[in-house]
Amino acid sequence: MNNYIIGTCGHIDHGKTALIRALNGYEGDTTKEEQQRGITIDLSFSNLSKENQNIAFIDVPGHEKLVKNMIAGAFSFDCVMIVVSAAEKIMPQTVEHLQILSLLGVKNAILTITKKDLVEESALASIIEEVESFVKEFDFNILFTTAVSIYDENSIEKLKDKLFSLNASTKVEENFFRYYVDRIFSAQGAGTIVTGTVLGRPIKTDDKLFICDIKKEAKVKNLQVHGVDSEEANISNRTAINLSGIKTNDIKKGFLISKKGYLRGFDTIDISFKSLKSKELKHNQNYSIFIGSKKIEGKVLLFNSTTTLESGFAMIKAKEPIFSIYKEKLIIRQGNITIAGGIVLSPIVDPMKKSQKLELLEALENENISKAYEILLSAHKKGLGLISSAQRFALSHEKALEYAKSLENTFIDEKSLVLYPLQTKNLIKTSIKDIYTKNQFALLSNASISLRMKWASENFIQSVLDELVEENF
Ligand SMILES: Nc1nc2c(ncn2[C@@H]2O[C@H](COP(=O)(O)OP(=O)(O)OP(=O)(O)O)[C@@H](O)[C@H]2O)c(=O)[nH]1
Ligand SMILES: [Mg+2]
């Protein structure tokens, strides 16, 4: 099944929700508050399918005070439908949404001019041109531009056809399942149900999942993909998971669900960032960090402790652990103001000298993974786990192994999945010689030595023993 997520963006009242209703009949804005105020407040999710194609829509609010809700949906867009009213053209939240989407790295875009019935037909061409030239200032790949009215069925049908002709899925398959919870509810007889977008690898019914934020396991009792019962949920699928073994009250919006053993949470992470035009990040100030559908409060510490910066490296010191992966995007805001966008460079922070850290961040920013491995290995003399590559470098196991094999002066233990710098052998050698000098009758085996040096794998120790034999020791 070919599927992708198209999310809306645009200023309040420009017709996002009405357009989705025209496309698939879905009635958004169903809560009492939404109906009273006549605006969208939280995200809504709906579909449009044809044959083996499914488009999942995420509709976002346009209100300036609700940008936080918009971000919680935008991180998972494969493509954005930029909705601009022909009557009002570009407005403040059109701009803010475009900025946020650019910072989140969303590239595919469809430009839809709505409410074309409200302007003279003769004026439409120049309106389209004006809006298009504004949007082109951003780094989007505009797949097509169209003008519609919900009262002109023909324009809606044409848009629908074009949407089905796209192949807009953009997500890369990471090494493991990741899923940010965006809604939680309980259903009579079923128990806890969460909804979210599948990132990374698929899941199946009966799979055991791990809720990172509360370190609890839960089992997949049932799955629904785009509203239909399903055995499996794949990348970019909007998925409802019925979880067993967990109470509804235990889960909150923004929690990250994964499989056990892949992700570690850290309350400090390293990022690179870029501020919006005429904005800056201030050293050691409090900000709200939006990552996935989660909002976290924390301080930003600029790497070189200047007072303010428009772009550079920084450390986020959060009030709770962040379960992020390499290259994951985040948005930095202060109150209701969007300040900057960030890219996670080190989701796992290792203690190291500042100069070494700078080298590591530069390597990670330039996607020089071999160099990053090298630097990390020199900081992890007692072994660097290969499993952590999934989080550190967003690499599959095979790719991580390939990189490891290309490294010089490195011992790879493929069984215990640990890398050691070759020079660490000397450490083990010295210790063996010590034992032997003290007691010539000591029984030395890889197993007995690994009891003393818990960080060293048996294979690694064996390779040292083999060398000692070769050296006639
Ligand atoms: N004349 C005309 N009115 C439209 C059209 N599309 C939407 N509207 C009207 O515009 C108003 C706002 O539409 P919504 O779809 O709620 O706007 P929205 O962008 O979802 O608003 P928020 O979610 O609050 O940001 C409603 O009264 C719609 O009926 C259109 O093509 N023509
Ligand atoms: Mg709406």
Side-chain angles (χ1 to χ4, degrees), residues 165-212:
S165 71
L166 302 176
N167 188 354
S169 67
T170 54
K171 295 187 181 68
V172 277
E173 211 173 80
E174 297 152 9
N175 200 26
F176 57 100
F177 168 77
R178 288 194 310 131
Y179 175 101
Y180 282 103
V181 172
D182 47 44
R183 281 179 306 177
I184 310 112
F185 50 94
S186 62
Q188 194 86 51
T192 306
I193 296 174
V194 292
T195 69
T197 303
V198 173
L199 309 171
R201 308 277 302 170
I203 48 163
K204 291 191 176 68
T205 37
D206 290 335
D207 276 2
K208 256 197 202 159
L209 303 181
F210 191 70
I211 303 158
C212 297

Side-chain angles (χ1 to χ4, degrees), residues 300-369:
V300 168
L301 305 174
L302 300 177
F303 184 78
N304 44 14
S305 321
T306 346
T307 44
T308 60
L309 265 187
E310 283 166 14
S311 65
F313 297 133
M315 183 185 257
I316 292 174
K317 219 169 167 15
K319 293 199 170 139
E320 57 186 302
I322 305 177
F323 296 85
S324 62
I325 68 164
Y326 175 54
K327 289 240 149 169
E328 192 167 3
K329 307 283 197 304
L330 48 89
I331 298 290
I332 302 171
R333 304 187 87 215
Q334 208 160 33
N336 270 324
I337 303 166
T338 307
I339 311 279
I343 300 178
V344 175
L345 294 180
S346 295
I348 297 174
V349 170
D350 306 275
M352 56 172 76
K353 279 190 298 211
K354 203 164 176 177
S355 57
Q356 201 178 22
K357 175 65 114 2
L358 180 62
E359 246 192 299
L360 175 67
L361 295 180
E362 279 167 352
L364 288 167
E365 185 170 49
N366 298 325
E367 295 185 36
N368 187 346
I369 305 295

Side-chain angles (χ1 to χ4, degrees), residues 58 77-78 160 173 226 266 348 374 397 420 425 461:
I58 300 184
F77 292 2
D78 290 308
K160 231 191 256 186
E173 211 173 80
H226 308 133
F266 290 84
I348 297 174
E374 232 171 75
H397 180 67
Y420 300 92
K425 280 190 176 180
I461 294 167

